[in-house]
Structures are given as structure tokens and as C-alpha cells.
Amino acid sequence: MAISKEECSSLYLTATEALGNAYAPYSGFSVGVALLTSEGKVFTGCNVENASYSAGMCAERIALGKAVSEGYRDFIAIAVAGSSGAPTPCGICRQALYEFAPGLLVIWGSSGSDLHCLSLNGLLPEAFGPLDLK
């Protein structure tokens, strides 16, 4: 399912709003995301750092966990906003998202007027997924 340019911009705006909730006292790099389900529901997430660095959680996996815990499994797009630059999901987040939506549209940019879009397959070529276990 494709989404319009306006829907991409709106999803990115929601991600920038989620950015304000990030807890990033160690890196100073905040991330907010907005994950769109095929039913039109949006789940947000922000990164949550921890003094034990590996215990931190990325925004993408927080949004994915919220959605899955509420019974959603079909995702169309995710928008990623960062406190600086134009971040895309990290490798672990790409793998976690791939589990549910290999064709997910990933939207990122440095502002709402400078957005980039690519499928998750494009960001994670030759990915390992559920079909590889059969």
C-alpha cells in the first residue's frame, strides 16, 4: 500500500513530536519515530538511554513493541526524526522491523521539507527473515 507525500510529511511530523520525549542524557542524540499500521493507526516511540549503555532502547523498537503488544502486525511505513542529521534505523531495528514488514516504507530527513523514502528491503538487502527458517 502506497502513501501520499502529504501522509509521509504528516507521519514525519508525528515522529518529530515523539522526539521531544526522548531520554538521551549520555549521547545527546534524540530520536523519535512514528510507525503506521495498515489499519491507519500510528504508534510512536523515542529512544531511552541507560547508564548501562546496552540496556538502552531505540525508538523504532519501542514503537514496534507498543504496536505488537496491542495486536498489530501489519505495517506500512515508519518515519524517523533525529535531533541532528537525518538518521535511519540502526541494524538491529532494521532486523526487528523486517520480521513484520520487509517492504516497509522508511521515511527520514533533516526537516519536513527534506524527506527521503526507501523500502526496508533497500536499507537491508539480502535480509534474513522468517522465510529463511522454513
Side-chain angles (χ1 to χ4, degrees):
M1 173 187 243
I3 65 173
S4 70
K5 185 175 181 176
E6 292 77 23
E7 289 171 311
C8 286
S9 294
S10 177
L11 197 62
Y12 183 81
L13 178 61
T14 301
T16 62
E17 292 168 358
L19 180 67
N21 294 324
Y23 177 73
Y26 306 106
S27 71
F29 185 71
S30 299
V31 178
V33 303
L35 178 64
L36 176 64
T37 71
S38 61
E39 296 87 357
K41 185 159 175 64
V42 175
F43 289 89
T44 60
C46 63
N47 58 322
V48 179
E49 293 181 349
N50 189 282
S52 174
Y53 295 149
S54 63
M57 288 290 296
C58 295
E60 295 88 341
R61 286 182 287 141
I62 287 178
L64 180 64
K66 287 167 64 175
V68 170
S69 72
E70 292 192 26
Y72 293 88
R73 305 281 193 279
D74 191 22
F75 307 104
I76 297 172
I78 189 167
V80 184
S83 57
S84 65
T88 61
C90 73
I92 290 175
C93 289
R94 291 176 191 195
Q95 184 66 47
L97 292 164
Y98 187 88
E99 180 77 14
F100 296 93
L104 185 73
L105 179 65
V106 180
I107 304 157
W108 74 96
S110 56
S111 72
S113 61
D114 179 33
L115 296 180
H116 306 279
C117 301
L118 187 64
S119 74
L120 185 56
N121 282 323
L123 287 175
L124 189 63
E126 302 300 323
F128 180 85
L131 295 178
D132 294 305
L133 297 174
K134 295 184 179 189

mmCIF file of all heavy atoms in Angstrom, residues 37-72:
data_model
loop_
_atom_site.group_PDB
_atom_site.id
_atom_site.type_symbol
_atom_site.label_atom_id
_atom_site.label_comp_id
_atom_site.label_asym_id
_atom_site.label_seq_id
_atom_site.Cartn_x
_atom_site.Cartn_y
_atom_site.Cartn_z
ATOM 1 N N THR A 37 0.362 1.567 10.861
ATOM 2 C CA THR A 37 -0.176 0.235 10.585
ATOM 3 C C THR A 37 -1.053 0.275 9.334
ATOM 4 O O THR A 37 -1.482 1.346 8.900
ATOM 5 C CB THR A 37 -1.031 -0.295 11.757
ATOM 6 O OG1 THR A 37 -2.254 0.445 11.812
ATOM 7 C CG2 THR A 37 -0.291 -0.193 13.086
ATOM 8 N N SER A 38 -1.339 -0.908 8.794
ATOM 9 C CA SER A 38 -2.213 -0.971 7.622
ATOM 10 C C SER A 38 -3.635 -0.535 7.954
ATOM 11 O O SER A 38 -4.399 -0.160 7.069
ATOM 12 C CB SER A 38 -2.221 -2.386 7.033
ATOM 13 O OG SER A 38 -2.713 -3.309 7.982
ATOM 14 N N GLU A 39 -3.988 -0.539 9.248
ATOM 15 C CA GLU A 39 -5.314 -0.082 9.677
ATOM 16 C C GLU A 39 -5.355 1.432 9.876
ATOM 17 O O GLU A 39 -6.399 1.982 10.223
ATOM 18 C CB GLU A 39 -5.715 -0.777 10.984
ATOM 19 C CG GLU A 39 -5.894 -2.277 10.875
ATOM 20 C CD GLU A 39 -4.597 -3.067 11.080
ATOM 21 O OE1 GLU A 39 -3.517 -2.462 11.253
ATOM 22 O OE2 GLU A 39 -4.670 -4.305 11.046
ATOM 23 N N GLY A 40 -4.230 2.104 9.694
ATOM 24 C CA GLY A 40 -4.187 3.552 9.823
ATOM 25 C C GLY A 40 -3.840 4.059 11.210
ATOM 26 O O GLY A 40 -3.828 5.258 11.446
ATOM 27 N N LYS A 41 -3.532 3.158 12.137
ATOM 28 C CA LYS A 41 -3.147 3.562 13.495
ATOM 29 C C LYS A 41 -1.651 3.880 13.503
ATOM 30 O O LYS A 41 -0.865 3.224 12.844
ATOM 31 C CB LYS A 41 -3.468 2.449 14.490
ATOM 32 C CG LYS A 41 -3.214 2.844 15.933
ATOM 33 C CD LYS A 41 -3.986 1.954 16.885
ATOM 34 C CE LYS A 41 -3.676 2.221 18.333
ATOM 35 N NZ LYS A 41 -4.043 3.528 18.814
ATOM 36 N N VAL A 42 -1.286 4.892 14.270
ATOM 37 C CA VAL A 42 0.115 5.300 14.369
ATOM 38 C C VAL A 42 0.607 5.060 15.791
ATOM 39 O O VAL A 42 -0.034 5.466 16.760
ATOM 40 C CB VAL A 42 0.291 6.789 13.991
ATOM 41 C CG1 VAL A 42 1.730 7.244 14.221
ATOM 42 C CG2 VAL A 42 -0.126 7.028 12.546
ATOM 43 N N PHE A 43 1.760 4.407 15.890
ATOM 44 C CA PHE A 43 2.427 4.185 17.166
ATOM 45 C C PHE A 43 3.725 4.978 17.157
ATOM 46 O O PHE A 43 4.474 4.940 16.184
ATOM 47 C CB PHE A 43 2.733 2.699 17.385
ATOM 48 C CG PHE A 43 1.503 1.886 17.661
ATOM 49 C CD1 PHE A 43 0.781 1.321 16.622
ATOM 50 C CD2 PHE A 43 1.056 1.702 18.961
ATOM 51 C CE1 PHE A 43 -0.362 0.579 16.866
ATOM 52 C CE2 PHE A 43 -0.091 0.968 19.222
ATOM 53 C CZ PHE A 43 -0.798 0.406 18.160
ATOM 54 N N THR A 44 3.975 5.704 18.239
ATOM 55 C CA THR A 44 5.196 6.493 18.331
ATOM 56 C C THR A 44 6.180 5.828 19.284
ATOM 57 O O THR A 44 5.813 4.982 20.098
ATOM 58 C CB THR A 44 4.909 7.920 18.832
ATOM 59 O OG1 THR A 44 4.310 7.844 20.125
ATOM 60 C CG2 THR A 44 4.015 8.670 17.862
ATOM 61 N N GLY A 45 7.428 6.247 19.160
ATOM 62 C CA GLY A 45 8.467 5.775 20.053
ATOM 63 C C GLY A 45 9.579 6.806 20.110
ATOM 64 O O GLY A 45 9.695 7.654 19.224
ATOM 65 N N CYS A 46 10.375 6.735 21.155
ATOM 66 C CA CYS A 46 11.553 7.590 21.292
ATOM 67 C C CYS A 46 12.648 6.756 21.931
ATOM 68 O O CYS A 46 12.368 5.756 22.590
ATOM 69 C CB CYS A 46 11.242 8.823 22.130
ATOM 70 S SG CYS A 46 10.770 8.452 23.829
ATOM 71 N N ASN A 47 13.894 7.162 21.717
ATOM 72 C CA ASN A 47 14.974 6.396 22.325
ATOM 73 C C ASN A 47 15.031 6.656 23.827
ATOM 74 O O ASN A 47 14.698 7.739 24.301
ATOM 75 C CB ASN A 47 16.322 6.656 21.640
ATOM 76 C CG ASN A 47 16.765 8.104 21.646
ATOM 77 O OD1 ASN A 47 15.976 9.020 21.489
ATOM 78 N ND2 ASN A 47 18.065 8.314 21.808
ATOM 79 N N VAL A 48 15.409 5.616 24.556
ATOM 80 C CA VAL A 48 15.518 5.675 26.012
ATOM 81 C C VAL A 48 16.883 5.102 26.379
ATOM 82 O O VAL A 48 17.093 3.896 26.293
ATOM 83 C CB VAL A 48 14.393 4.871 26.704
ATOM 84 C CG1 VAL A 48 14.541 4.932 28.222
ATOM 85 C CG2 VAL A 48 13.021 5.366 26.267
ATOM 86 N N GLU A 49 17.810 5.986 26.734
ATOM 87 C CA GLU A 49 19.154 5.543 27.081
ATOM 88 C C GLU A 49 19.215 5.092 28.534
ATOM 89 O O GLU A 49 18.298 5.347 29.320
ATOM 90 C CB GLU A 49 20.159 6.667 26.834
ATOM 91 C CG GLU A 49 20.300 7.002 25.367
ATOM 92 C CD GLU A 49 21.315 8.092 25.083
ATOM 93 O OE1 GLU A 49 21.793 8.771 26.013
ATOM 94 O OE2 GLU A 49 21.630 8.266 23.898
ATOM 95 N N ASN A 50 20.328 4.438 28.867
ATOM 96 C CA ASN A 50 20.521 3.915 30.211
ATOM 97 C C ASN A 50 22.002 4.013 30.538
ATOM 98 O O ASN A 50 22.842 3.876 29.650
ATOM 99 C CB ASN A 50 20.054 2.452 30.234
ATOM 100 C CG ASN A 50 20.015 1.878 31.621
ATOM 101 O OD1 ASN A 50 21.042 1.525 32.181
ATOM 102 N ND2 ASN A 50 18.821 1.774 32.172
ATOM 103 N N ALA A 51 22.334 4.214 31.811
ATOM 104 C CA ALA A 51 23.730 4.289 32.226
ATOM 105 C C ALA A 51 24.488 3.014 31.859
ATOM 106 O O ALA A 51 25.672 3.048 31.566
ATOM 107 C CB ALA A 51 23.828 4.550 33.727
ATOM 108 N N SER A 52 23.791 1.897 31.848
ATOM 109 C CA SER A 52 24.355 0.655 31.315
ATOM 110 C C SER A 52 23.992 0.654 29.835
ATOM 111 O O SER A 52 22.913 0.221 29.443
ATOM 112 C CB SER A 52 23.729 -0.552 32.032
ATOM 113 O OG SER A 52 24.166 -1.745 31.433
ATOM 114 N N TYR A 53 24.862 1.196 29.022
ATOM 115 C CA TYR A 53 24.556 1.543 27.628
ATOM 116 C C TYR A 53 23.770 0.478 26.858
ATOM 117 O O TYR A 53 22.835 0.801 26.138
ATOM 118 C CB TYR A 53 25.829 1.883 26.862
ATOM 119 C CG TYR A 53 26.535 3.126 27.356
ATOM 120 C CD1 TYR A 53 27.906 3.234 27.269
ATOM 121 C CD2 TYR A 53 25.830 4.184 27.925
ATOM 122 C CE1 TYR A 53 28.570 4.366 27.730
ATOM 123 C CE2 TYR A 53 26.478 5.318 28.383
ATOM 124 C CZ TYR A 53 27.849 5.406 28.280
ATOM 125 O OH TYR A 53 28.508 6.515 28.725
ATOM 126 N N SER A 54 24.135 -0.769 27.010
ATOM 127 C CA SER A 54 23.445 -1.801 26.223
ATOM 128 C C SER A 54 21.997 -2.013 26.655
ATOM 129 O O SER A 54 21.227 -2.665 25.951
ATOM 130 C CB SER A 54 24.209 -3.122 26.289
ATOM 131 O OG SER A 54 24.241 -3.594 27.621
ATOM 132 N N ALA A 55 21.604 -1.458 27.796
ATOM 133 C CA ALA A 55 20.219 -1.581 28.260
ATOM 134 C C ALA A 55 19.304 -0.533 27.629
ATOM 135 O O ALA A 55 18.092 -0.566 27.831
ATOM 136 C CB ALA A 55 20.160 -1.470 29.779
ATOM 137 N N GLY A 56 19.869 0.387 26.861
ATOM 138 C CA GLY A 56 19.049 1.398 26.191
ATOM 139 C C GLY A 56 18.183 0.783 25.107
ATOM 140 O O GLY A 56 18.435 -0.334 24.640
ATOM 141 N N MET A 57 17.148 1.508 24.706
ATOM 142 C CA MET A 57 16.235 1.028 23.667
ATOM 143 C C MET A 57 16.101 2.081 22.578
ATOM 144 O O MET A 57 15.955 3.271 22.870
ATOM 145 C CB MET A 57 14.846 0.741 24.244
ATOM 146 C CG MET A 57 14.787 -0.483 25.123
ATOM 147 S SD MET A 57 14.970 -2.017 24.208
ATOM 148 C CE MET A 57 13.513 -1.987 23.182
ATOM 149 N N CYS A 58 16.116 1.618 21.353
ATOM 150 C CA CYS A 58 15.923 2.513 20.206
ATOM 151 C C CYS A 58 14.445 2.855 20.046
ATOM 152 O O CYS A 58 13.558 2.064 20.401
ATOM 153 C CB CYS A 58 16.424 1.853 18.933
ATOM 154 S SG CYS A 58 18.193 1.553 18.905
ATOM 155 N N ALA A 59 14.189 4.007 19.472
ATOM 156 C CA ALA A 59 12.820 4.480 19.252
ATOM 157 C C ALA A 59 12.018 3.513 18.385
ATOM 158 O O ALA A 59 10.837 3.257 18.645
ATOM 159 C CB ALA A 59 12.866 5.861 18.603
ATOM 160 N N GLU A 60 12.651 2.968 17.349
ATOM 161 C CA GLU A 60 11.945 2.087 16.409
ATOM 162 C C GLU A 60 11.431 0.832 17.101
ATOM 163 O O GLU A 60 10.282 0.425 16.890
ATOM 164 C CB GLU A 60 12.878 1.687 15.254
ATOM 165 C CG GLU A 60 13.301 2.844 14.384
ATOM 166 C CD GLU A 60 14.559 3.568 14.869
ATOM 167 O OE1 GLU A 60 14.949 3.436 16.060
ATOM 168 O OE2 GLU A 60 15.157 4.285 14.052
ATOM 169 N N ARG A 61 12.277 0.231 17.929
ATOM 170 C CA ARG A 61 11.847 -1.000 18.604
ATOM 171 C C ARG A 61 10.820 -0.721 19.693
ATOM 172 O O ARG A 61 9.987 -1.573 19.992
ATOM 173 C CB ARG A 61 13.047 -1.765 19.147
ATOM 174 C CG ARG A 61 13.803 -2.448 17.997
ATOM 175 C CD ARG A 61 14.985 -3.257 18.472
ATOM 176 N NE ARG A 61 16.044 -2.336 18.870
ATOM 177 C CZ ARG A 61 16.835 -2.512 19.911
ATOM 178 N NH1 ARG A 61 16.712 -3.558 20.689
ATOM 179 N NH2 ARG A 61 17.774 -1.628 20.192
ATOM 180 N N ILE A 62 10.864 0.460 20.278
ATOM 181 C CA ILE A 62 9.830 0.820 21.254
ATOM 182 C C ILE A 62 8.475 0.944 20.554
ATOM 183 O O ILE A 62 7.472 0.383 21.009
ATOM 184 C CB ILE A 62 10.203 2.100 22.024
ATOM 185 C CG1 ILE A 62 11.329 1.778 23.019
ATOM 186 C CG2 ILE A 62 8.988 2.695 22.737
ATOM 187 C CD1 ILE A 62 11.840 2.942 23.817
ATOM 188 N N ALA A 63 8.425 1.650 19.428
ATOM 189 C CA ALA A 63 7.166 1.786 18.682
ATOM 190 C C ALA A 63 6.676 0.428 18.197
ATOM 191 O O ALA A 63 5.480 0.117 18.294
ATOM 192 C CB ALA A 63 7.352 2.735 17.504
ATOM 193 N N LEU A 64 7.587 -0.395 17.698
ATOM 194 C CA LEU A 64 7.213 -1.729 17.225
ATOM 195 C C LEU A 64 6.655 -2.569 18.375
ATOM 196 O O LEU A 64 5.625 -3.226 18.229
ATOM 197 C CB LEU A 64 8.427 -2.420 16.593
ATOM 198 C CG LEU A 64 8.203 -3.825 16.048
ATOM 199 C CD1 LEU A 64 7.201 -3.808 14.893
ATOM 200 C CD2 LEU A 64 9.529 -4.423 15.594
ATOM 201 N N GLY A 65 7.309 -2.529 19.525
ATOM 202 C CA GLY A 65 6.825 -3.279 20.686
ATOM 203 C C GLY A 65 5.450 -2.826 21.147
ATOM 204 O O GLY A 65 4.609 -3.645 21.512
ATOM 205 N N LYS A 66 5.230 -1.510 21.139
ATOM 206 C CA LYS A 66 3.914 -0.990 21.514
ATOM 207 C C LYS A 66 2.846 -1.518 20.557
ATOM 208 O O LYS A 66 1.774 -1.955 20.990
ATOM 209 C CB LYS A 66 3.916 0.541 21.487
ATOM 210 C CG LYS A 66 4.677 1.182 22.641
ATOM 211 C CD LYS A 66 4.941 2.662 22.443
ATOM 212 C CE LYS A 66 3.711 3.529 22.380
ATOM 213 N NZ LYS A 66 4.064 4.981 22.296
ATOM 214 N N ALA A 67 3.148 -1.485 19.263
ATOM 215 C CA ALA A 67 2.171 -1.926 18.261
ATOM 216 C C ALA A 67 1.891 -3.424 18.385
ATOM 217 O O ALA A 67 0.721 -3.842 18.412
ATOM 218 C CB ALA A 67 2.678 -1.593 16.858
ATOM 219 N N VAL A 68 2.932 -4.210 18.463
ATOM 220 C CA VAL A 68 2.760 -5.665 18.550
ATOM 221 C C VAL A 68 2.027 -6.039 19.840
ATOM 222 O O VAL A 68 1.145 -6.899 19.831
ATOM 223 C CB VAL A 68 4.121 -6.382 18.431
ATOM 224 C CG1 VAL A 68 3.994 -7.868 18.756
ATOM 225 C CG2 VAL A 68 4.689 -6.195 17.025
ATOM 226 N N SER A 69 2.339 -5.355 20.939
ATOM 227 C CA SER A 69 1.683 -5.672 22.203
ATOM 228 C C SER A 69 0.190 -5.347 22.187
ATOM 229 O O SER A 69 -0.563 -5.859 23.010
ATOM 230 C CB SER A 69 2.364 -4.952 23.372
ATOM 231 O OG SER A 69 2.092 -3.566 23.340
ATOM 232 N N GLU A 70 -0.222 -4.510 21.237
ATOM 233 C CA GLU A 70 -1.644 -4.192 21.100
ATOM 234 C C GLU A 70 -2.296 -4.959 19.953
ATOM 235 O O GLU A 70 -3.416 -4.667 19.552
ATOM 236 C CB GLU A 70 -1.821 -2.684 20.922
ATOM 237 C CG GLU A 70 -1.460 -1.940 22.205
ATOM 238 C CD GLU A 70 -1.879 -0.492 22.191
ATOM 239 O OE1 GLU A 70 -2.837 -0.133 21.470
ATOM 240 O OE2 GLU A 70 -1.245 0.293 22.924
ATOM 241 N N GLY A 71 -1.572 -5.943 19.405
ATOM 242 C CA GLY A 71 -2.152 -6.843 18.419
ATOM 243 C C GLY A 71 -1.928 -6.473 16.963
ATOM 244 O O GLY A 71 -2.463 -7.121 16.071
ATOM 245 N N TYR A 72 -1.161 -5.458 16.674
ATOM 246 C CA TYR A 72 -0.902 -5.041 15.292
ATOM 247 C C TYR A 72 0.326 -5.751 14.752
ATOM 248 O O TYR A 72 1.335 -5.876 15.446
ATOM 249 C CB TYR A 72 -0.733 -3.519 15.208
ATOM 250 C CG TYR A 72 -2.011 -2.796 15.524
ATOM 251 C CD1 TYR A 72 -2.321 -2.456 16.845
ATOM 252 C CD2 TYR A 72 -2.918 -2.476 14.523
ATOM 253 C CE1 TYR A 72 -3.511 -1.808 17.148
ATOM 254 C CE2 TYR A 72 -4.115 -1.826 14.825
ATOM 255 C CZ TYR A 72 -4.400 -1.505 16.141
ATOM 256 O OH TYR A 72 -5.575 -0.866 16.443
#
